[in-house]
Amino acid sequence: MNGPVIVLVEPQLGENIGMVARAMANFGLTELRLVKPRDGWPSEKARAAASKADHVIDATRVFETLEEAIADLTFVYATTARVRDSYKPVAAPVTAAATLRGRFNAGQPTGILFGRERWGLSNEEVAMADEIVTFPVNPEFASLNIAQAVLLMSYEWMKSGMEDVAATPFSGLEQRPATKEQLLGMCEHLEEALEARGYFRPAGKKPKIVENLRAVLSRPNFSEQEINMLRGVISSLDRFSRKNPRGAKPLGDTDTATEDASHDGSARDGE
Amino acid sequence: MNGPVIVLVEPQLGENIGMVARAMANFGLTELRLVKPRDGWPSEKARAAASKADHVIDATRVFETLEEAIADLTFVYATTARVRDSYKPVAAPVTAAATLRGRFNAGQPTGILFGRERWGLSNEEVAMADEIVTFPVNPEFASLNIAQAVLLMSYEWMKSGMEDVAATPFSGLEQRPATKEQLLGMCEHLEEALEARGYFRPAGKKPKIVENLRAVLSRPNFSEQEINMLRGVISSLDRFSRKNPRGAKPLGDTDTATEDASHDGSARDGE
């Protein structure tokens, strides 16, 4: 066993059983049990809806009664959306997943019961479980189907085994944070290009304008790669014009001035 | 707006759009936008699959381009299962939900993009988002459909607004914890009934047997209600026999002995 057994009590539609298998497989659960599926078993509709979770479908076991389906388990949750008038403890999915994970780590076989599409589990069926788990749904629209409920529990099960729930299976390309020297280099590069164009006026306002400009350029906390790209942008705007773009050979110019401008900002002269 | 806008890019099947609406409604999201739905809009199949989430279906808006669909938003997540070769930050669903909640509380309109059934979002579409969110699925079977992905993000959105994720919309009936006096009363009641039957032998072992019995009865941490019920059980076993059950009028007995035995354990004499 690699996690709790998922038990569906009298499921009606093969499609739903298939979607349950698919939900389970996404989060590493593989053991599915059915109590009296209405349309029998195996089900081609279930296999189609399982979207290649064939290992779950092939291993699915069918039982005549819920008692038999849970006979070998030591701890069982019943899922329910309705308020139950019982003394059974009621857990949120995160709490239930943590409990199941603890028992799994201790080698105990556990299960989660899901009721019929129309009316869920009977009180007698809930009574066979150890605890109840219920979902924090919008009280004005509480309508999870069984495949959705299985998906949420499977997802919480997967998360309960992660050291850090904020971890992701992949991450963005690593960016080296820029040093303040690199940031200041870009600022000075830009300020010099602007100065040459008479941007700072009146001259007395230049210190305040520079201060504001540097505030704008500091806030994004640019990475080294981003600063290199931005310096290339500044160089291009500074060195070429719409009339004399890079690579053009205007009369009277040598072509050397345009050949060393790169996109990574390494060229910054050429005024 | 009561949460992030859900944006489906070129969804194909009306059923999936309907399941998306149902998933959203369960967790209090209401604003659905579609970019070029293949089979047009409105869709009767979508409405049927939405299972009465008509308020979401009726308010759904359709756009020709993704740019238009997200024009009024200030922060957008792109969902993706594939590794993307980009510098964009990648977040887990819990992290993304917390970020969206923070921006929601600050009054910012946000959104989450979901791609086509077959191949998700293009790189250009991902580039329009601020960050990426991806799901912690089993790497050997990663196959969430769009309705499942929307369900998980909607669920995390709901949880991000809860003060305590372990809270449940309803709870089991409240049980008063039993006092040690109540527990000990039950133990003595049982021990006395067993003593009368010669259960403790050899007599020298009685202290050890009592110790073990009390250990068994202490561990479950019974509530007051449970202890009352158990004392009724002990009373019944003690006072009546299979031959002379409660309510029977055996020869030579008065009927008063049987009339005051109750199920709540209040009667404990009658030896």
Side-chain angles (χ1 to χ4, degrees), chain A residues 19 22-23 25-28 50-53 55 80-88 90-95 134-138 141-145 148 151-152 155-156 158-159 162 165-175 225, chain B residues 19 22-23 25-28 50-53 55 80-88 90-95 134-138 141-145 148 151-152 155-156 158-159 162 165-175 225:
Chain A
M19 286 298 289
R22 179 178 185 171
N26 266 290
F27 298 107
S51 187
K52 302 204 177 103
H55 60 295
T80 171
R82 271 177 291 147
V83 178
R84 302 279 180 166
D85 189 31
S86 94
Y87 287 110
K88 250 176 230 306
V90 180
V94 278
T95 315
T134 192
F135 300 93
V137 290
N138 174 14
F141 186 91
S143 165
L144 288 176
N145 77 5
Q148 291 173 320
L151 183 78
L152 294 180
Y155 168 68
E156 288 290 4
M158 169 72 104
K159 283 202 304 176
M162 293 169 64
V165 293
T168 54
F170 62 92
S171 49
L173 294 174
E174 204 193 334
Q175 304 215 33
Q225 294 93 324
Chain B
M19 286 298 288
R22 179 179 183 170
N26 266 290
F27 297 109
S51 189
K52 303 204 179 105
H55 58 297
T80 172
R82 272 176 291 148
V83 177
R84 302 280 179 167
D85 190 32
S86 94
Y87 287 111
K88 250 176 231 305
V90 180
V94 279
T95 316
T134 192
F135 299 94
V137 291
N138 174 14
F141 186 91
S143 164
L144 287 176
N145 77 6
Q148 290 172 321
L151 183 77
L152 294 180
Y155 168 67
E156 288 291 5
M158 170 73 104
K159 283 202 303 176
M162 293 167 64
V165 293
T168 54
F170 62 90
S171 51
L173 295 173
E174 203 193 336
Q175 304 217 34
Q225 294 93 327

Side-chain angles (χ1 to χ4, degrees), chain A residues 4 75 77 91-106 108 110 112 131 133 152-162 165, chain B residues 155 159 165-166:
Chain A
F75 191 90
Y77 271 107
V94 278
T95 315
T99 299
L100 291 166
R101 180 65 65 173
R103 290 180 176 271
F104 174 76
N105 290 343
Q108 297 178 23
T110 60
I112 315 174
E131 297 193 11
V133 57
L152 294 180
M153 276 310 300
S154 303
Y155 168 68
E156 288 290 4
W157 164 256
M158 169 72 104
K159 283 202 304 176
S160 72
M162 293 169 64
V165 293
Chain B
Y155 168 67
K159 283 202 303 176
V165 293

Side-chain angles (χ1 to χ4, degrees), chain A residues 8-252:
Chain A
L8 306 185
V9 178
E10 299 187 1
Q12 302 193 333
L13 300 172
E15 288 87 342
N16 283 339
I17 301 171
M19 286 298 289
V20 162
R22 179 178 185 171
M24 290 169 60
N26 266 290
F27 298 107
L29 292 179
T30 55
E31 200 165 335
L32 177 60
R33 300 182 182 179
L34 310 176
V35 177
K36 283 205 275 193
R38 186 190 65 183
D39 297 339
W41 193 261
S43 157
E44 277 318 305
K45 283 183 179 170
R47 187 175 295 277
S51 187
K52 302 204 177 103
D54 291 324
H55 60 295
V56 179
I57 294 293
D58 291 337
T60 297
R61 294 167 63 196
V62 177
F63 296 83
E64 263 305 295
T65 65
L66 177 56
E67 287 89 331
E68 293 169 90
I70 63 173
D72 60 329
L73 307 180
T74 60
F75 191 90
V76 171
Y77 271 107
T79 53
T80 171
R82 271 177 291 147
V83 178
R84 302 279 180 166
D85 189 31
S86 94
Y87 287 110
K88 250 176 230 306
V90 180
V94 278
T95 315
T99 299
L100 291 166
R101 180 65 65 173
R103 290 180 176 271
F104 174 76
N105 290 343
Q108 297 178 23
T110 60
I112 315 174
L113 314 184
F114 295 84
R116 301 152 188 82
E117 282 93 338
R118 297 252 167 152
W119 50 275
L121 296 166
S122 71
N123 286 337
E124 292 69 28
E125 288 158 353
V126 171
M128 282 189 232
D130 295 276
E131 297 193 11
I132 285 171
V133 57
T134 192
F135 300 93
V137 290
N138 174 14
E140 285 158 35
F141 186 91
S143 165
L144 288 176
N145 77 5
I146 53 170
Q148 291 173 320
V150 169
L151 183 78
L152 294 180
M153 276 310 300
S154 303
Y155 168 68
E156 288 290 4
W157 164 256
M158 169 72 104
K159 283 202 304 176
S160 72
M162 293 169 64
E163 224 165 87
D164 174 12
V165 293
T168 54
F170 62 92
S171 49
L173 294 174
E174 204 193 334
Q175 304 215 33
R176 291 182 300 282
T179 63
K180 294 307 172 196
E181 184 184 24
Q182 291 168 328
L183 175 66
L184 200 63
M186 176 177 73
C187 292
E188 288 170 350
H189 181 179
L190 177 62
E191 286 152 23
E192 196 265 353
L194 291 172
E195 175 76 79
R197 286 165 172 78
Y199 175 82
F200 299 107
R201 48 172 116 166
K205 285 260 177 105
K206 179 175 174 187
K208 186 65 190 166
I209 300 173
V210 165
E211 182 191 321
N212 290 345
L213 198 55
R214 292 188 178 189
V216 169
L217 294 172
S218 299
R219 204 193 46 74
N221 206 353
F222 287 124
S223 70
E224 194 179 311
Q225 294 93 324
E226 289 171 326
I227 288 207
N228 283 342
M229 163 158 278
L230 289 172
R231 290 196 64 166
V233 168
I234 297 167
S235 284
S236 178
L237 289 168
D238 183 31
R239 299 181 57 192
F240 307 110
S241 67
R242 289 173 178 268
K243 283 195 178 162
N244 282 343
R246 185 179 180 201
K249 286 196 183 183
L251 283 177

Side-chain angles (χ1 to χ4, degrees), chain B residues 236 239-251 253 258:
Chain B
S236 178
R239 300 181 58 190
F240 306 110
S241 68
R242 288 171 179 270
K243 283 193 180 163
N244 282 343
R246 184 179 181 202
K249 287 194 181 183
L251 284 177
D253 266 20
T258 60

